[in-house]
Amino acid sequence: EVQLVESGGGLVQPGRSLKLSCAASGFTFSNYYMAWVRQAPKKGLEWVATISTSGSRTYYPDSVKGRFTISRDNAKSSLYLQMNSLKSEDTATYYCARHEYYGYKAFDYWGQGVMVTVSS
Amino acid sequence: AIVLNQSPSSIIASQGEKVTITCRASSSISSNYLHWYQQKPGAFPKLVIYSTSYRASGVPSRFSGSGSGTSYSFTISRVEAEDVATYYCQQGSSNPYTFGAGTKLELK
C-alpha cells in the first residue's frame, strides 16, 4: 500500500524559513517523480513543485520559484520542501504527492497533508 | 498558464440523481492530460479519473469522464451519500500544472 506521510509544518513568522519532509513507503520511491501541492484554507489546490526521479530536474510555478526548493533522498525514500522568505499567502496545507510523469502527469497518490501557518 | 474553468461551483443533488461537472480549458489540451480528483471534507484529494475517462483503481463505475480539446466533463450517474465532496479537474499538459477551482457536491 502506498503511504506518504508529511511532517515539519507549524507556525512561522513572515520572512523566515521552514523545511517539510515526506516519508514514502509501499512503492519503489526512486522510480517516481514526486511533487508538493498546497491548499490555502477554504481554497483550491495549487501545484508547488515537482522533482525528477534522480533529483536532477526540478519544476516550480512562478509563485514560489526562487523561494522554494524541492529535493529528495532516494536512499531514505524521502521528499523535502525547503521554503524560504515565507509570506502570509504561503499559509496552506501542503500535500506530498506522487507525480505520474511518464504518461499523463497526474498526482496519483497523496499524503494526509501538513499545515503551514505564516504569521507574526 | 492554462486556466481551467469549472462549473458549476456547487451542486445540491438528491441521492440517485445524475450530476455532471464541466471543466473548460483556456487552450486545447490532449485528453491524456486531463484528470479529476475527489476531496471529501477534512480529507486529502484522491485521483478518481485520469486521462479524461479512465477510472483509478477502486473507483466505482458510477463515476465517468469524457471530453476533448478544451471541454471536459465528469459525471456521477447515481449520486450516493458517500460522494459528498469537492471535485477538481487538473491538467498535466503544460507547466504550471493547474487545477480548476472546484465543484462542491452536497446532498439535498
Side-chain angles (χ1 to χ4, degrees):
Chain A
E1 179 195 5
V2 172
Q3 284 202 317
L4 300 169
V5 180
E6 302 94 337
S7 61
L11 174 64
V12 61
Q13 293 179 327
R16 304 298 291 264
S17 299
L18 195 65
K19 187 172 185 177
L20 305 181
S21 300
C22 171
S25 61
F27 65 104
T28 305
F29 182 75
S30 58
N31 287 353
Y32 288 87
Y33 279 53
M34 297 295 295
W36 291 95
V37 178
R38 70 183 178 184
Q39 185 171 37
K42 305 292 187 185
K43 299 294 185 182
L45 300 166
E46 180 187 18
W47 167 69
V48 169
T50 288
I51 188 167
S52 64
T53 52
S54 66
S56 60
R57 290 183 297 277
T58 56
Y59 309 89
Y60 308 93
D62 287 345
S63 57
V64 306
K65 196 177 294 182
R67 298 190 301 122
F68 289 12
T69 302
I70 188 172
S71 61
R72 64 191 296 161
D73 184 337
N74 286 341
K76 295 183 178 179
S77 295
S78 292
L79 178 72
Y80 306 100
L81 184 68
Q82 176 68 46
M83 303 184 292
N84 298 332
S85 304
L86 282 162
K87 307 175 183 180
S88 59
E89 52 262 43
D90 296 318
T91 293
T93 296
Y94 285 74
Y95 296 101
C96 167
R98 197 172 80 172
H99 198 170
E100 197 294 322
Y101 213 76
Y102 294 110
Y104 40 85
K105 297 188 175 65
F107 304 101
D108 59 357
Y109 289 93
W110 299 62
Q112 84 288 348
V114 64
M115 185 68 199
V116 172
T117 302
V118 183
S119 175
S120 54
Chain B
I2 296 177
V3 176
L4 298 178
N5 289 302
Q6 259 185 262
S7 61
S9 57
S10 65
I11 302 175
I12 302 176
S14 301
Q15 268 190 260
E17 188 177 334
K18 176 181 178 180
V19 299
T20 297
I21 299 168
T22 297
C23 179
R24 288 198 166 83
S26 58
S27 56
S28 183
I29 59 178
S30 165
S31 60
N32 287 337
Y33 299 118
L34 194 287
H35 319 298
W36 293 91
Y37 300 84
Q38 176 193 64
Q39 186 175 29
K40 294 185 178 182
F44 55 88
K46 172 189 167 186
L47 179 66
V48 290
I49 297 285
Y50 66 94
S51 299
T52 296
S53 59
Y54 295 91
R55 283 187 299 278
S57 178
V59 173
S61 60
R62 64 180 181 275
F63 294 94
S64 64
S66 64
S68 64
T70 60
S71 185
Y72 295 85
S73 63
F74 173 86
T75 298
I76 307 174
S77 59
R78 290 174 299 278
V79 169
E80 297 189 5
E82 66 184 28
D83 301 335
V84 167
T86 300
Y87 294 87
Y88 296 92
C89 57
Q90 178 251 326
Q91 64 83 19
S93 179
S94 66
N95 180 346
Y97 306 113
T98 49
F99 293 84
T103 296
K104 187 175 183 179
L105 172 62
E106 297 175 290
L107 280 191
K108 216 175 276 183

